[in-house]
Amino acid sequence: MSRRPVNSARRFVDSGNFPFAAALHSKSRSPSILSICLVVVGVILIVGYAYSGSGRFRGDAVSRIEGDYSCTLEVQRAIPFLKKAYGDSMHKVLHVGPDTCSVVSKLLKEEETEAWGVEPYDIEDAEANCKNLVRKGIVRVADIKFPLPYRAKSFSLVIVSDALDYLSPKYLNKTLPELARVASDGLVIFAGYPGHQRAKVAELSKFGRPAKMRSSTWWIRFFVQTSLEENEAAIKKFEQAASKKSYQPACQVFHLNPYH
């Protein structure tokens, strides 16, 4: 009958011939001081990383990976830098995307800024403040696959988030030019990075389809196909303002010129 090979190191320890056998045996029963120190250092490094970056807890990134992150939240973070990039063009803003009430409410708190919103999805479960904005006509619920209920160049700046990621190219061909039509100075698109944002199963009934996260190369090629040019001046100002505050958007941000 074959015999299983014996670990020579184990035989030394069992026989007592290995000089440090007793020491190793005693250490295995209770954690050493060195192990405890390593654990403490590890915890400190993790906490420090979580609070690194712009001086805030990085729960945003964690949520994004798990599918909870929203580019609409990123719009709110980016408002100070958008103001630097667009200046007076921020006085009459239209936001289009899920949870637009939160963006509109924040924009209305900015000095000399008027804001409106288009919510592409149902708001039955919305808070009282959001329903109040709808009653006042500041926020509208509308399917963005169809023409927007506004005249050409009604707004100086149009900001879109979390809405185009859920549209197929068939509808993007109609929706993107429509968004550019109602803007007079600029169109800003916040889109998810490939492989990061995904709609939860519970949200599919709301959005109709999973989000399609496209690369920057895909978007730029699509802009060219729809005769939309990037706003180089706004891109430069936005990046300069963001760099000064070490701000790095968690979503792709595209600055486009409107149709003339």
Side-chain angles (χ1 to χ4, degrees):
M1 182 169 65
S2 62
R3 299 180 60 186
R4 184 176 59 185
V6 178
N7 189 309
S8 59
R10 181 180 176 185
R11 184 170 55 194
F12 277 126
V13 173
D14 292 343
S15 64
N17 293 330
F18 191 73
F20 298 104
L24 289 172
H25 186 63
S26 63
K27 287 182 180 180
S28 66
R29 295 180 178 176
S30 60
S32 66
I33 295 177
L34 178 59
S35 299
I36 295 174
C37 290
L38 289 173
V39 171
V40 172
V41 170
V43 171
I44 293 173
L45 290 174
I46 291 172
V47 173
Y49 176 77
Y51 283 91
S52 65
S54 57
R56 52 176 294 189
F57 187 72
R58 295 182 57 173
D60 297 357
V62 174
S63 300
R64 182 183 66 182
I65 294 172
E66 294 175 350
D68 295 339
Y69 191 84
S70 159
C71 283
T72 297
L73 295 177
E74 196 62 32
V75 171
Q76 297 180 54
R77 290 182 60 204
I79 288 175
F81 311 105
L82 290 172
K83 292 185 71 174
K84 292 287 186 180
Y86 290 93
D88 293 339
S89 295
M90 284 286 289
H91 73 275
K92 196 172 184 180
V93 182
L94 173 69
H95 174 261
V96 179
D99 197 23
T100 189
C101 291
S102 62
V103 176
V104 171
S105 296
K106 190 171 182 66
L107 285 169
L108 290 174
K109 294 177 182 178
E110 299 289 326
E111 292 184 7
E112 300 180 358
T113 300
E114 299 177 53
W116 288 265
V118 172
E119 169 62 60
Y121 307 106
D122 187 31
I123 59 168
E124 286 184 2
D125 299 329
E127 297 178 354
N129 177 58
C130 184
K131 292 182 177 180
N132 187 42
L133 290 173
V134 173
R135 281 194 297 270
K136 292 180 178 179
I138 296 175
V139 170
R140 294 190 181 189
V141 180
D143 190 337
I144 61 173
K145 294 192 293 291
F146 299 96
L148 295 173
Y150 303 107
R151 295 179 179 178
K153 302 186 183 302
S154 293
F155 307 94
S156 53
L157 187 67
V158 175
I159 304 172
V160 190
S161 62
D162 288 330
L164 302 183
D165 292 329
Y166 291 91
L167 296 181
S168 65
K170 172 185 175 182
Y171 290 112
L172 278 174
N173 280 320
K174 300 177 181 179
T175 301
L176 197 56
E178 184 66 9
L179 293 167
R181 180 186 68 82
V182 300
S184 62
D185 296 340
L187 170 63
V188 185
I189 297 174
F190 285 73
Y193 282 105
H196 282 178
Q197 290 179 296
R198 298 174 183 173
K200 295 180 179 179
V201 174
E203 293 177 336
L204 291 181
S205 59
K206 175 180 179 180
F207 296 118
R209 55 172 286 157
K212 178 69 173 179
M213 300 307 167
R214 302 165 172 108
S215 67
S216 59
T217 302
W218 189 95
W219 278 112
I220 292 172
R221 185 168 59 247
F222 190 81
F223 298 149
V224 172
Q225 292 174 359
T226 51
S227 301
L228 285 168
E229 299 177 353
E230 290 191 90
N231 188 332
E232 299 294 343
I235 292 173
K236 185 176 180 180
K237 291 179 181 179
F238 182 85
E239 291 179 347
Q240 288 177 342
S243 178
K244 289 180 180 179
K245 297 293 183 179
S246 300
Y247 166 69
Q248 294 183 344
C251 297
Q252 299 182 86
V253 184
F254 301 100
H255 304 263
L256 305 173
N257 288 315
Y259 290 131
H260 297 294

